[in-house]
Amino acid sequence: MALGGAGLAAVKWKALARAPLAIVVAGGLALVGACGGGGGGGGDSLKVGVLLPGGGASRFGQFDKPLIEKKLKELCPECPAATVAATPDPAVQRQQLESMITRGVDVLIVAAVDPQLLRPAVEEAHRAGIPVVAYDRLAEGTISGYVTFDGAQVGRLQAEALLKAMGTEAAGGQIVMMNGATTDPNAGWFKEGSLSVLKGKVKIGKSYDTVGWRPENAFVNMKGAIASLGADNVDGVLSANDSLAGAVVSALNATQVRPLPPVTGQDADLVAVRRIIRGEQYMTVYKPYKRATDATVEMAVALGRDKSVESIATDTVDSPTTKDIPAVLLPSVSVTVGNIEDTLVKDGLYTINQICSPDLRSACDKAGLT
């Protein structure tokens, strides 16, 4: 399986005992007793640094950050609050990581903006004796642990949903692929997973790698695809995440493509869920973030205390620079209008009132949400 920094560099995962998720949770509970003891450089005051590729209203700011902070306080109540830095700028993130090394953190959780560019700082952390847990995206360099969602499965879920939405038009139909940034190893993973389903089923009229995952770039690319292929010749859009899906829908509306073709997404952003209810987006991929943040903090606390992560990791992965990284690869869930309540609402991601704004009451009634 490819997961590399630039494009599809050679990376594979190898299942270990494939322990159920309960073992991951049990491993975390076992660490509670170890959290206050010695073992790591931080003693009772284990200092955890967290670097994220976005904050504020982004998925990382809304969900990942507070979940990481909550789990750290649960596993290590005597530890100081995590030092968190968020930026979409790879150069700034590298500076943030270097600053955390200087400040003497004991362990780092890093969701890399650009895995290759961050490599020298990761190696600097390694030389300083600071373990690095890669979160969501696999940074290059000496990584001590990795937690993410199975990217191939994400791509397969998107492709399977798109084919289902296209129905009879899938045979001989034409789609546009709006992929993520080549600097993100997950983008290639998603693409490979989706292509494993789509190849031989539909014609891929246009395929774009969206620079920086930026919606404005996806908007321009989608308008170009419509101009090139013709408004009547786009039968579906495989969009890699919800931000890109929003730009795709905007481009379709701006060029008055009717009816709107099915569009996929990922991350279960609130605005995307509302688009699904409106009928503008067909699906999104929901990744139960709490499972991922719990496993990540469990790994970080263990490594910070010089403990093994064997009871937490259920897989290993190879990056372009490091082999046999202990890893947790988690499953995702396909969400369409019919299972919003049984997935997102049931898990507490959103309430019905959050989803069903006043302008959506009629559509929510029709969807059985109100």
Side-chain angles (χ1 to χ4, degrees):
M1 177 56 61
L3 269 181
L8 300 180
V11 182
K12 61 183 185 303
W13 83 72
K14 293 161 287 188
L16 297 177
R18 284 271 176 199
L21 189 61
I23 291 179
V24 175
V25 176
L29 294 176
L31 290 170
V32 176
C35 221
D44 282 351
S45 57
L46 183 68
K47 290 174 286 189
V48 180
V50 181
L51 291 106
L52 301 173
S58 75
R59 163 216 143 172
F60 290 96
Q62 282 189 306
F63 304 118
D64 305 73
K65 176 180 178 289
L67 287 169
I68 288 170
E69 292 172 329
K70 181 179 178 181
K71 188 64 176 180
L72 177 62
K73 188 55 62 178
E74 175 189 324
L75 290 185
C76 196
E78 70 276 19
C79 292
T83 302
V84 183
T87 179
D89 187 316
V92 171
Q93 188 178 63
R94 178 172 170 176
Q95 293 170 356
Q96 291 171 338
L97 198 159
E98 291 168 346
S99 174
M100 288 189 182
I101 295 170
T102 301
R103 293 168 68 176
V105 299
D106 297 306
V107 63
L108 284 159
I109 294 170
V110 179
V113 177
D114 186 325
Q116 285 186 315
L117 187 62
L118 207 61
R119 177 180 173 181
V122 170
E123 293 295 359
E124 184 181 341
H126 176 65
R127 289 192 295 272
I130 302 171
V132 176
V133 178
Y135 175 64
D136 194 67
R137 304 170 182 180
L138 184 55
E140 293 189 10
T142 305
I143 298 297
S144 300
Y146 179 41
V147 179
T148 194
F149 291 87
D150 186 335
Q153 186 205 26
V154 170
R156 290 193 298 269
L157 289 175
Q158 291 173 328
E160 288 163 0
L162 185 63
L163 292 177
K164 181 178 179 180
M166 291 171 66
T168 57
E169 292 186 11
Q174 180 167 245
I175 70 164
V176 173
M177 290 190 70
M178 199 64 64
N179 308 302
T182 56
T183 53
D184 180 351
N186 286 353
W189 208 6
F190 303 147
K191 186 198 294 188
E192 187 171 292
S194 61
L195 287 174
S196 72
V197 174
L198 295 173
K199 279 187 174 178
K201 302 285 181 62
V202 293
K203 178 182 178 182
I204 300 172
K206 292 286 183 181
S207 181
Y208 301 94
D209 294 319
T210 311
V211 176
W213 284 97
R214 294 190 181 95
E216 58 269 28
N217 294 334
F219 179 82
V220 170
N221 289 338
M222 191 64 216
K223 286 192 73 175
I226 295 165
S228 175
L229 302 175
D232 296 331
N233 296 315
V234 178
D235 300 309
V237 182
L238 193 296
S239 173
N241 76 0
D242 289 335
S243 295
L244 302 188
V248 165
V249 170
S250 294
L252 292 167
N253 285 330
T255 50
Q256 298 183 337
V257 174
R258 292 294 182 271
L260 287 173
V263 178
T264 70
Q266 176 186 182
D267 291 333
D269 291 347
L270 182 56
V271 290
V273 177
R274 289 172 174 167
R275 281 196 299 268
I276 290 171
I277 293 170
R278 287 193 192 96
E280 294 178 329
Q281 182 173 326
Y282 179 68
M283 66 83 72
T284 187
V285 175
Y286 165 48
K287 299 183 289 190
Y289 305 121
K290 188 176 185 301
R291 296 183 186 181
T293 54
D294 281 359
T296 301
V297 175
E298 288 158 10
M299 272 195 176
V301 170
L303 290 165
R305 301 298 182 195
D306 293 331
K307 304 289 184 181
S308 169
V309 296
E310 287 184 3
S311 65
I312 303 169
T314 54
D315 296 89
T316 65
V317 299
D318 294 343
S319 78
T321 59
T322 309
K323 292 187 178 299
D324 296 322
I325 301 168
V328 176
L329 303 178
L330 296 166
S332 302
V333 181
S334 178
V335 176
T336 61
V337 69
N339 68 340
I340 290 172
E341 188 166 14
D342 290 337
T343 54
L344 309 182
V345 176
K346 182 179 178 180
D347 279 10
L349 200 66
Y350 306 116
T351 65
I352 294 294
N353 285 337
Q354 284 178 304
I355 295 170
C356 296
S357 53
D359 63 305
L360 281 177
R361 286 294 169 178
S362 177
C364 282
D365 288 344
K366 184 177 179 182
L369 292 171
T370 53

